[in-house]
Coordinates of all heavy atoms in Angstrom, one line a residue:
M1 N 114.0 92.0 110.6 CA 112.8 92.1 109.7 C 112.4 93.6 109.6 O 112.4 94.4 110.7 CB 111.5 91.4 110.2 CG 110.3 91.3 109.4 SD 108.9 90.7 110.3 CE 109.7 89.0 110.8
A2 N 112.2 94.1 108.4 CA 111.8 95.6 108.3 C 110.4 95.8 108.4 O 109.6 96.0 107.5 CB 112.3 96.1 107.0
E3 N 109.8 95.8 109.7 CA 108.5 96.1 109.8 C 108.2 97.6 110.1 O 109.1 98.2 110.8 CB 108.0 95.4 111.1 CG 106.3 95.7 111.2 CD 105.7 94.6 112.1 OE1 106.3 93.6 112.5 OE2 104.5 94.8 112.4
I4 N 107.4 98.2 109.5 CA 107.1 99.7 109.5 C 106.2 100.0 110.7 O 105.1 99.4 110.9 CB 106.5 100.3 108.2 CG1 107.5 99.9 107.0 CG2 106.4 101.7 108.3 CD1 107.0 100.1 105.7
I5 N 106.6 100.9 111.4 CA 105.9 101.1 112.7 C 104.8 102.2 112.6 O 103.9 102.3 113.4 CB 106.8 101.6 113.9 CG1 107.9 100.5 114.0 CG2 106.2 101.8 115.2 CD1 107.5 99.1 114.2
D6 N 105.0 103.1 111.6 CA 104.0 104.1 111.4 C 102.7 103.7 110.9 O 102.4 104.0 109.6 CB 104.7 105.3 110.5 CG 103.8 106.5 110.3 OD1 102.9 106.7 111.2 OD2 104.1 107.3 109.6
V7 N 101.9 102.9 111.6 CA 100.8 102.3 111.2 C 99.7 103.3 110.8 O 99.0 103.1 109.8 CB 100.2 101.4 112.2 CG1 98.9 100.7 111.8 CG2 101.2 100.2 112.3
D8 N 99.5 104.3 111.6 CA 98.4 105.2 111.4 C 98.4 105.9 110.0 O 97.4 105.9 109.3 CB 98.4 106.4 112.4 CG 97.9 105.8 113.9 OD1 97.4 104.9 113.9 OD2 98.4 106.5 114.8
H9 N 99.6 106.3 109.6 CA 99.7 106.9 108.4 C 99.5 106.0 107.2 O 98.8 106.4 106.2 CB 101.1 107.5 108.3 CG 101.5 108.4 107.2 ND1 100.8 109.7 107.1 CD2 102.2 108.3 106.2 CE1 101.3 110.3 105.9 NE2 102.1 109.5 105.3
L10 N 100.1 104.8 107.3 CA 100.0 103.9 106.3 C 98.5 103.3 106.2 O 98.0 103.1 105.1 CB 101.0 102.9 106.4 CG 102.4 103.2 106.1 CD1 103.4 102.2 106.4 CD2 102.6 103.6 104.6
Y11 N 98.0 103.1 107.3 CA 96.6 102.6 107.3 C 95.6 103.6 106.6 O 94.7 103.2 105.8 CB 96.0 102.3 108.7 CG 94.8 101.6 108.7 CD1 94.5 100.3 108.3 CD2 93.5 102.4 108.9 CE1 93.3 99.7 108.2 CE2 92.3 101.9 108.8 CZ 92.2 100.5 108.5 OH 90.9 99.9 108.4
A12 N 95.8 104.9 106.8 CA 95.0 105.9 106.1 C 95.2 105.8 104.7 O 94.2 105.9 103.9 CB 95.4 107.3 106.5
S13 N 96.4 105.4 104.2 CA 96.7 105.4 102.8 C 96.0 104.0 102.2 O 95.3 103.9 101.1 CB 98.1 105.2 102.6 OG 98.5 105.1 101.3
V14 N 95.9 102.9 103.0 CA 95.2 101.7 102.7 C 93.7 101.9 102.5 O 93.1 101.5 101.6 CB 95.5 100.5 103.7 CG1 94.5 99.4 103.4 CG2 97.0 100.1 103.6
A15 N 93.1 102.6 103.5 CA 91.8 102.9 103.6 C 91.3 103.7 102.4 O 90.1 103.5 101.8 CB 91.4 103.5 104.9
A16 N 92.2 104.6 101.8 CA 91.8 105.4 100.7 C 92.3 104.8 99.5 O 92.0 105.4 98.4 CB 92.6 106.8 101.0
R17 N 92.8 103.6 99.4 CA 93.3 103.0 98.4 C 94.3 103.9 97.5 O 94.3 103.9 96.2 CB 92.1 102.5 97.4 CG 91.4 101.4 98.0 CD 90.3 100.8 97.1 NE 89.7 99.6 97.8 CZ 88.8 99.7 98.7 NH1 88.5 100.8 99.1 NH2 88.2 98.6 99.2
D18 N 95.1 104.6 98.2 CA 96.1 105.5 97.8 C 97.3 104.7 97.3 O 97.8 103.9 98.0 CB 96.3 106.5 98.9 CG 97.6 107.4 98.7 OD1 97.9 107.6 97.5 OD2 98.1 108.0 99.5
R19 N 97.8 105.1 96.2 CA 98.9 104.3 95.7 C 100.3 105.1 95.8 O 101.2 104.7 95.3 CB 98.8 104.0 94.2 CG 97.6 103.1 93.9 CD 97.1 103.1 92.5 NE 98.2 102.3 91.7 CZ 98.1 101.0 91.4 NH1 97.2 100.2 92.1 NH2 99.0 100.5 90.7
A20 N 100.2 106.1 96.8 CA 101.4 106.9 96.9 C 102.6 106.0 97.4 O 103.8 106.4 97.2 CB 101.1 108.0 97.9
Y21 N 102.3 105.0 98.3 CA 103.4 104.1 98.8 C 103.6 102.9 98.1 O 104.3 102.0 98.5 CB 103.0 103.9 100.3 CG 103.1 105.1 101.1 CD1 101.9 105.9 101.4 CD2 104.3 105.6 101.6 CE1 102.0 107.0 102.2 CE2 104.3 106.7 102.4 CZ 103.2 107.4 102.6 OH 103.2 108.6 103.3
L22 N 103.0 102.8 96.8 CA 103.3 101.5 96.1 C 104.7 101.3 95.8 O 105.4 102.3 95.5 CB 102.5 101.8 94.7 CG 102.3 100.6 93.8 CD1 101.4 99.6 94.4 CD2 101.8 101.1 92.6
G23 N 105.1 100.1 96.2 CA 106.4 99.7 96.0 C 107.4 100.2 97.3 O 108.6 99.6 97.3
Q24 N 106.8 100.9 98.1 CA 107.6 101.3 99.3 C 107.2 100.6 100.5 O 107.9 100.6 101.6 CB 107.5 102.8 99.6 CG 108.0 103.6 98.3 CD 107.8 105.1 98.6 OE1 108.1 105.7 99.6 NE2 107.2 105.8 97.7
A25 N 105.9 100.1 100.4 CA 105.4 99.5 101.7 C 104.5 98.4 101.3 O 103.8 98.5 100.1 CB 104.7 100.5 102.6
Y26 N 104.2 97.4 102.2 CA 103.2 96.3 101.8 C 102.5 96.1 103.1 O 103.1 96.2 104.2 CB 104.0 95.0 101.5 CG 104.7 95.2 100.2 CD1 106.1 95.7 100.1 CD2 104.2 94.9 99.0 CE1 106.8 95.9 99.0 CE2 104.8 95.2 97.8 CZ 106.2 95.6 97.8 OH 106.8 95.8 96.7
V27 N 101.2 95.8 103.0 CA 100.3 95.5 104.1 C 100.1 94.0 104.4 O 99.5 93.5 103.4 CB 99.2 96.4 104.1 CG1 98.3 96.3 102.9 CG2 98.3 96.2 105.3
G28 N 100.4 93.5 105.4 CA 100.0 92.1 105.8 C 98.7 92.2 106.6 O 98.8 93.0 107.5
V29 N 97.8 91.3 106.5 CA 96.5 91.3 107.2 C 96.5 89.9 108.1 O 96.4 89.0 107.5 CB 95.3 91.3 106.2 CG1 94.0 91.4 107.1 CG2 95.5 92.6 105.3
R30 N 96.6 90.2 109.3 CA 96.6 89.1 110.3 C 95.4 88.2 110.1 O 95.6 86.8 110.3 CB 96.7 89.6 111.7 CG 98.0 89.9 112.2 CD 98.1 90.1 113.7 NE 98.0 91.6 113.9 CZ 98.9 92.3 114.3 NH1 100.1 91.7 114.7 NH2 98.8 93.6 114.5
S31 N 94.3 88.7 109.8 CA 93.0 87.9 109.9 C 93.0 86.9 108.7 O 92.4 85.8 108.8 CB 91.8 88.7 110.0 OG 91.8 89.7 108.8
T32 N 93.5 87.3 107.6 CA 93.6 86.5 106.4 C 94.9 85.8 106.0 O 94.9 84.9 105.3 CB 93.2 87.3 105.1 OG1 94.2 88.4 105.0 CG2 91.9 88.1 105.4
G33 N 96.0 86.4 106.6 CA 97.3 85.8 106.2 C 97.8 86.1 105.0 O 98.7 85.6 104.4
I34 N 97.1 87.3 104.4 CA 97.5 87.7 103.0 C 98.2 89.1 103.0 O 97.9 89.8 104.0 CB 96.1 88.0 102.2 CG1 95.4 86.6 102.0 CG2 96.5 88.5 100.8 CD1 96.0 85.5 101.1
F35 N 99.1 89.3 102.2 CA 99.8 90.6 102.1 C 99.4 91.3 100.7 O 99.3 90.5 99.8 CB 101.2 90.7 102.4 CG 102.2 90.1 101.4 CD1 102.8 90.9 100.4 CD2 102.4 88.7 101.6 CE1 103.6 90.3 99.6 CE2 103.3 88.2 100.6 CZ 103.8 88.9 99.6
C36 N 99.4 92.6 100.8 CA 98.9 93.3 99.5 C 99.9 94.5 99.3 O 100.6 95.0 100.2 CB 97.6 94.0 99.8 SG 96.2 92.7 99.6
T37 N 99.7 95.0 98.0 CA 100.5 96.2 97.8 C 99.6 97.4 98.3 O 98.4 97.1 98.6 CB 100.6 96.4 96.2 OG1 99.3 96.3 95.6 CG2 101.5 95.4 95.4
M38 N 100.2 98.5 98.4 CA 99.5 99.8 98.8 C 98.6 100.1 97.7 O 99.1 100.2 96.6 CB 100.4 100.9 99.2 CG 101.3 100.4 100.3 SD 100.5 100.2 101.8 CE 100.0 101.8 102.3
G39 N 97.2 100.2 97.9 CA 96.4 100.6 96.8 C 95.6 99.5 96.3 O 94.9 99.5 95.2
C40 N 95.7 98.3 96.9 CA 95.1 97.1 96.4 C 93.5 97.3 96.5 O 93.0 97.9 97.4 CB 95.3 95.9 97.3 SG 94.5 94.3 96.9
P41 N 92.8 96.9 95.5 CA 91.3 97.1 95.5 C 90.5 96.2 96.5 O 89.3 96.4 96.5 CB 90.9 96.9 94.0 CG 91.9 95.9 93.5 CD 93.3 96.3 94.2
S42 N 91.1 95.3 97.1 CA 90.4 94.4 98.0 C 89.9 95.3 99.2 O 90.2 96.3 99.4 CB 91.3 93.3 98.6 OG 91.7 92.5 97.6
R43 N 88.8 94.6 99.8 CA 88.1 95.3 100.9 C 89.2 95.8 102.0 O 90.0 94.9 102.4 CB 87.2 94.3 101.6 CG 86.1 95.0 102.4 CD 84.9 94.0 102.5 NE 85.2 93.0 103.5 CZ 84.9 93.2 104.8 NH1 84.5 94.2 105.3 NH2 85.3 92.1 105.7
T44 N 89.0 97.0 102.5 CA 90.0 97.4 103.6 C 90.0 96.6 104.8 O 88.7 96.5 105.4 CB 89.5 98.9 103.8 OG1 89.6 99.6 102.6 CG2 90.6 99.6 104.8
P45 N 91.0 96.0 105.2 CA 91.0 95.3 106.4 C 90.9 96.2 107.7 O 91.1 97.4 107.7 CB 92.4 94.8 106.4 CG 93.2 95.6 105.6 CD 92.3 96.2 104.6
L46 N 90.6 95.6 108.8 CA 90.6 96.3 110.1 C 92.0 96.7 110.5 O 92.9 95.9 110.3 CB 89.9 95.4 111.3 CG 88.5 95.0 111.1 CD1 88.1 94.2 112.3 CD2 87.6 96.3 111.1
K47 N 92.0 97.9 111.1 CA 93.4 98.5 111.4 C 94.1 97.5 112.3 O 95.3 97.3 112.0 CB 93.2 99.9 111.9 CG 94.5 100.5 112.2 CD 94.1 101.9 112.7 CE 95.4 102.7 113.1 NZ 95.0 104.1 113.5
K48 N 93.4 97.0 113.2 CA 94.1 96.1 114.2 C 94.7 94.8 113.6 O 95.5 94.2 114.2 CB 93.2 95.7 115.4 CG 92.1 94.8 115.0 CD 91.1 94.6 116.2 CE 89.8 93.9 115.9 NZ 90.0 92.4 115.6
N49 N 94.2 94.5 112.4 CA 94.8 93.3 111.8 C 96.0 93.7 110.8 O 96.4 92.7 110.2 CB 93.7 92.6 111.0 CG 92.6 92.0 111.9 OD1 93.0 91.5 112.9 ND2 91.4 92.0 111.4
C50 N 96.3 94.9 110.7 CA 97.3 95.3 109.6 C 98.6 95.4 110.2 O 98.9 95.9 111.3 CB 96.9 96.7 109.0 SG 95.5 96.6 108.0
R51 N 99.6 94.8 109.5 CA 101.1 95.1 109.7 C 101.7 95.5 108.5 O 101.4 95.0 107.4 CB 101.7 93.7 110.2 CG 101.2 93.2 111.6 CD 101.8 91.9 111.9 NE 103.2 91.9 112.1 CZ 104.1 90.8 112.3 NH1 103.5 89.7 112.3 NH2 105.3 91.0 112.5
F52 N 102.6 96.4 108.6 CA 103.3 96.9 107.4 C 104.7 96.6 107.3 O 105.5 96.6 108.4 CB 103.1 98.4 107.5 CG 101.7 98.9 107.3 CD1 100.9 99.1 108.5 CD2 101.1 99.0 106.0 CE1 99.5 99.5 108.3 CE2 99.8 99.4 105.9 CZ 99.0 99.6 107.0
F53 N 105.1 96.3 106.2 CA 106.5 95.9 105.9 C 107.1 96.6 104.7 O 106.4 97.0 103.9 CB 106.5 94.4 105.5 CG 106.1 93.6 106.7 CD1 104.8 93.2 106.7 CD2 106.9 93.2 107.8 CE1 104.3 92.5 107.7 CE2 106.3 92.3 108.7 CZ 105.1 92.0 108.8
E54 N 108.4 96.8 104.7 CA 109.1 97.5 103.6 C 109.2 96.6 102.3 O 109.3 97.1 101.2 CB 110.6 97.9 104.1 CG 110.4 98.9 105.1 CD 111.9 99.4 105.6 OE1 112.8 98.9 105.1 OE2 111.9 100.3 106.3
T55 N 109.3 95.2 102.4 CA 109.6 94.5 101.2 C 108.6 93.2 101.2 O 108.2 92.8 102.2 CB 111.0 94.0 101.1 OG1 111.2 93.1 102.2 CG2 112.0 95.1 101.2
V56 N 108.6 92.6 100.0 CA 107.8 91.4 99.8 C 108.4 90.3 100.6 O 107.7 89.6 101.3 CB 107.7 91.0 98.4 CG1 107.3 89.6 98.2 CG2 106.9 91.9 97.6
E57 N 109.8 90.4 100.8 CA 110.5 89.2 101.4 C 110.2 89.4 102.9 O 110.0 88.3 103.6 CB 112.0 89.5 101.3 CG 112.4 89.1 99.9 CD 112.1 90.1 98.8 OE1 111.9 91.2 99.1 OE2 112.2 89.7 97.6
D58 N 110.0 90.6 103.5 CA 109.7 90.7 104.8 C 108.3 90.2 105.1 O 108.1 89.5 106.2 CB 109.7 92.3 105.3 CG 111.1 92.7 105.3 OD1 112.0 92.1 105.6 OD2 111.3 94.0 104.8
C59 N 107.4 90.4 104.2 CA 106.0 89.8 104.5 C 106.0 88.3 104.4 O 105.4 87.7 105.3 CB 105.1 90.4 103.2 SG 104.9 92.1 103.2
V60 N 106.8 87.8 103.6 CA 106.9 86.2 103.4 C 107.5 85.8 104.6 O 107.1 84.7 105.2 CB 107.6 85.9 102.2 CG1 107.9 84.4 102.1 CG2 106.8 86.2 100.8
A61 N 108.5 86.4 105.2 CA 109.3 86.0 106.2 C 108.4 86.0 107.6 O 108.5 85.3 108.5 CB 110.5 86.8 106.6
A62 N 107.3 86.9 107.6 CA 106.5 87.1 108.7 C 105.3 86.1 108.6 O 104.4 86.0 109.4 CB 105.9 88.5 108.8
G63 N 105.4 85.4 107.4 CA 104.3 84.3 107.3 C 103.1 84.6 106.4 O 102.1 83.9 106.4
F64 N 103.2 85.8 105.7 CA 102.1 86.1 104.9 C 102.2 85.5 103.5 O 103.3 85.3 103.0 CB 101.9 87.6 104.8 CG 101.5 88.1 106.2 CD1 102.5 88.8 106.9 CD2 100.2 88.2 106.6 CE1 102.1 89.4 108.1 CE2 99.9 88.8 107.9 CZ 100.8 89.4 108.6
R65 N 101.0 85.4 102.9 CA 101.0 84.9 101.4 C 100.6 86.1 100.5 O 99.8 86.9 100.9 CB 100.0 83.8 101.2 CG 100.5 82.4 101.8 CD 99.5 81.3 101.6 NE 98.2 81.5 102.4 CZ 97.0 81.8 101.9 NH1 96.9 81.8 100.6 NH2 96.0 82.1 102.8
A66 N 101.0 86.0 99.2 CA 100.7 87.2 98.3 C 99.3 87.2 98.0 O 98.7 86.2 97.7 CB 101.6 87.0 97.1
C67 N 98.7 88.4 98.0 CA 97.3 88.6 97.4 C 97.2 88.2 96.0 O 98.1 88.5 95.1 CB 97.0 90.1 97.6 SG 95.3 90.6 96.9
K68 N 96.0 87.5 95.6 CA 95.9 87.2 94.2 C 95.3 88.3 93.3 O 95.3 88.2 92.1 CB 95.0 85.9 94.1 CG 95.7 84.7 94.6 CD 94.8 83.5 94.3 CE 95.6 82.1 94.4 NZ 96.3 82.0 95.7
R69 N 94.8 89.4 94.0 CA 94.3 90.5 93.2 C 95.4 91.4 92.7 O 95.4 91.9 91.6 CB 93.2 91.3 94.0 CG 91.9 90.4 94.1 CD 90.8 91.2 94.8 NE 90.3 92.3 93.9 CZ 89.2 93.0 94.2 NH1 88.6 92.8 95.4 NH2 88.8 93.9 93.4
C70 N 96.2 91.9 93.8 CA 97.2 92.9 93.4 C 98.6 92.3 93.1 O 99.5 93.1 92.6 CB 97.3 93.9 94.5 SG 97.8 93.2 96.2
R71 N 98.8 91.0 93.4 CA 100.0 90.4 93.0 C 101.3 91.1 93.4 O 102.1 91.5 92.6 CB 100.0 90.0 91.5 CG 98.8 89.2 91.2 CD 99.0 88.5 89.8 NE 98.0 87.6 89.4 CZ 97.9 86.3 89.8 NH1 98.9 85.8 90.5 NH2 97.0 85.6 89.5
P72 N 101.5 91.3 94.8 CA 102.5 92.1 95.2 C 104.0 91.5 94.9 O 105.0 92.2 94.8 CB 102.4 92.1 96.7 CG 101.5 91.0 96.9 CD 100.6 90.8 95.8
E73 N 104.0 90.2 94.6 CA 105.3 89.6 94.3 C 105.8 89.9 92.9 O 107.0 89.5 92.6 CB 105.3 88.0 94.5 CG 104.6 87.2 93.4 CD 103.0 87.3 93.5 OE1 102.4 88.2 94.1 OE2 102.3 86.3 93.0
Q74 N 105.0 90.5 92.1 CA 105.4 90.9 90.7 C 106.0 92.4 90.5 O 105.5 93.2 91.2 CB 104.2 90.6 89.7 CG 104.1 89.2 89.6 CD 102.8 88.9 88.7 OE1 102.2 89.8 88.1 NE2 102.4 87.6 88.6
Ligands
LIG101 ZN1 95.9 92.7 97.4

């Protein structure tokens, strides 16, 4: 599974709703079971709940469902 370890850097990007990593990383939120694209307009999750993956398939394999706002599977 391609989980991205550099959480600090990517979380800063999520908190800023920065789209620089759009298509290169996805964020799974443990508390909700949802994963999002980078730059999703949904409320910023707590850092401790975030896991980052390289592909949609990795997120699904880890048990996350796609966000209905940013639709990462498309
Ligand atoms: Zn989203």
Side-chain angles (χ1 to χ4, degrees):
M1 189 189 303
E3 182 161 357
I4 302 171
I5 307 303
D6 186 10
V7 170
D8 288 339
H9 191 65
L10 289 172
Y11 184 77
S13 186
V14 168
R17 294 183 173 76
D18 169 19
R19 296 169 70 87
Y21 293 94
L22 193 65
Q24 298 176 51
Y26 298 87
V27 54
V29 184
R30 268 189 269 255
S31 55
T32 59
I34 300 287
F35 71 94
C36 284
T37 57
M38 301 298 287
C40 178
S42 296
R43 201 161 74 87
T44 304
L46 293 176
K47 185 175 179 178
K48 67 183 174 71
N49 290 329
C50 291
R51 294 174 67 186
F52 294 91
F53 300 94
E54 290 183 356
T55 68
V56 167
E57 288 75 19
D58 292 321
C59 295
V60 172
F64 293 101
R65 287 177 295 113
C67 173
K68 288 188 164 56
R69 289 187 72 174
C70 60
R71 300 193 174 278
E73 75 278 28
Q74 291 177 2

